[in-house]
Amino acid sequence: MVKLPNPLVMAATLCAIAVYSGMVRVQSRTPFYSLFSEREIRLLTGTVSSNPTKTNAFSGSYRMDFSVESVTTAHDARSSAAGIVSVYIPSDVVESLYPGKLYTPSRSQSGILIDTGSRLSLSVTNGIKPHEYLVNSVKSLGWGSGFYSRLCHFRALCRLQFRRLMFAWGKAGGLLLALLSGSREYTEGIVSDSFRNAGLSHILALSGMHLSLFSGLALFLGKKAATRTIADGLQLGAILFFVWFAGLSPSLFRAMLCALVLFASSILRMNRPAGVTVLSVSFLMHLVIFPDHLQTAAFMLSYGALAGILIVSVAVKRLFSRRFLPRLTSALSDSAAAQLFTAPVTLRLFGKLMPVGIVASVLVSPLVVYFLYAGLLGIVLCLAVPFLSPAIGGILNRFYELIKTISVFFAQFPALAI
């Protein structure tokens, strides 16, 4: 009897081929519509719909998605509008309340808290690409009065307070901030560059590693204190909390979908689905919910890396000598499989490969995981006993220097440019 292939895996494979070969063009679910042409628009009114992300564009501005409600032209003609555009807001505006920044306002001034959910009026000029605007000035319109608006405001305040705590821990706090919230404005430049040149960029990108750390910790504590059902509930709560706090990046949303599929199978007492099946279901759901993510580097690298680990990791493992320790062999094979499957994307986006990342990831990833655990423990201790903060910061900075030294060492290896 011929065994038919898994229909979910086949559906995901065919969709991926259709999208990335150009046979099918995926349309945005939130295209921008306005009565006026983009060249006429000089004022946008709406709501920030993504985390501000620091970029090198326009002298180091912050990029964010902006859900437009109305537009105004240079001749003061105004109309309603709909859809999402990309806006680039100057650093001095976004960082006006951030600790330690040169732009932090004095007591007589008031900064603007800009994060997901904040309502703004933006004076703009056209950017380089369609649906892209460079912001000249910003006016805050508050946060709204609904439950969602209040929740967004509370989240923005929590993220601001978290920045202040991490700033007190210096360079180690900057790395923890990037690993736990996706904000990299305090990450030391040499560390960011070293991670990128050593093929370790995936460590800084919020993904399954960070989500599994939270969910695994919650599941462990839940099993010790309650039944399996309650433990599963705590695990789900930890997943949703982390995604809510950190934001829906493509890689993190992929990790959340995979976790939700596994959680649903556990609640329904179904047999645990194969990893490739879980990834395929997540891909199809992701395609429907956020089609805009499909062409982003984070989406392609995240799905490609996990597909490589699930599909060819076992075969790659056979290539390594049996003299390796079992855990080392497994880590090397997973890293090599992920690099193999993401190589076409890496070449297309960056024009080079970092093969040293196979070995670097094996050494740096476990250190980063322990660093995260130490940071989480430090946060809990600081909240309970605040005067311990300087000592904890000192310990974390020693840990940080070890990670930095190793990443800088691997960053010196040459890349393969093709």
Side-chain angles (χ1 to χ4, degrees), residues 36-298:
F36 306 112
S37 68
E38 294 195 57
R39 293 184 178 181
E40 297 178 287
I41 297 173
R42 290 296 176 266
L43 189 70
L44 299 173
T45 301
T47 305
V48 176
S49 56
S50 71
N51 292 340
T53 304
K54 189 70 175 286
T55 71
N56 294 323
F58 306 112
S59 302
S61 60
Y62 280 78
R63 180 200 174 278
M64 60 200 76
D65 293 336
F66 192 73
S67 180
V68 183
E69 299 171 5
S70 64
V71 297
T72 305
T73 69
H75 302 290
D76 291 329
R78 187 172 184 270
S79 79
S80 60
I84 292 180
V85 298
S86 296
V87 296
Y88 291 84
I89 300 182
S91 297
D92 57 342
V93 178
V94 179
E95 296 175 348
S96 61
L97 296 176
Y98 290 6
K101 294 294 184 179
L102 295 176
Y103 317 110
T104 301
S106 63
R107 293 182 179 180
S108 61
Q109 297 174 315
S110 59
I112 299 176
L113 181 57
I114 298 178
D115 211 321
T116 304
S118 56
R119 300 190 67 252
L120 305 172
S121 177
L122 307 176
S123 173
V124 299
T125 54
N126 293 113
I128 300 174
K129 301 177 182 178
H131 312 320
E132 178 183 274
Y133 293 92
L134 175 62
V135 176
N136 300 316
S137 62
V138 180
K139 179 181 178 181
S140 175
L141 301 178
W143 291 81
S145 57
F147 173 76
Y148 177 74
S149 297
R150 290 196 294 269
L151 184 63
C152 288
H153 190 199
F154 174 70
R155 173 183 180 270
L157 291 173
C158 289
R159 286 169 60 87
L160 180 61
Q161 289 300 116
F162 186 64
R163 280 188 177 91
R164 290 171 177 168
L165 174 60
M166 294 297 99
F167 177 74
W169 286 348
K171 296 176 181 178
L175 180 58
L176 269 176
L177 181 66
L179 294 171
L180 295 176
S181 71
S183 301
R184 303 184 188 181
E185 56 267 14
Y186 292 95
T187 306
E188 195 177 7
I190 189 174
V191 172
S192 298
D193 294 339
S194 297
F195 271 56
R196 182 176 61 253
N197 295 331
L200 299 171
S201 297
H202 62 281
I203 293 178
L204 289 180
L206 296 178
S207 61
M209 181 187 78
H210 308 79
L211 198 63
S212 61
L213 183 148
F214 272 82
S215 62
L217 184 61
L219 182 61
F220 173 78
L221 296 175
K223 285 182 178 179
K224 295 293 183 181
T227 63
R228 175 57 189 263
T229 301
I230 296 178
D232 288 341
L234 289 174
Q235 184 182 28
L236 178 62
I239 291 171
L240 296 178
F241 171 79
F242 182 69
V243 174
W244 169 77
F245 181 77
L248 286 175
S249 65
S251 55
L252 190 57
F253 188 64
R254 187 274 306 161
M256 185 187 75
L257 287 177
C258 290
L260 291 178
V261 171
L262 291 173
F263 178 78
S265 66
S266 176
I267 290 296
L268 297 174
R269 297 297 185 263
M270 300 170 57
N271 292 330
R272 186 180 179 88
V276 177
T277 303
V278 174
L279 185 65
S280 299
V281 173
S282 300
F283 178 86
L284 295 172
M285 294 173 64
H286 205 150
L287 175 63
V288 173
I289 300 172
F290 290 118
D292 295 346
H293 287 180
L294 263 72
Q295 298 298 333
T296 64

Side-chain angles (χ1 to χ4, degrees), residues 373-394:
Y373 277 122
L376 290 173
L377 178 60
I379 291 171
V380 173
L381 290 176
C382 284
L383 292 176
V385 191
F387 68 82
L388 291 178
S389 181
I392 293 172

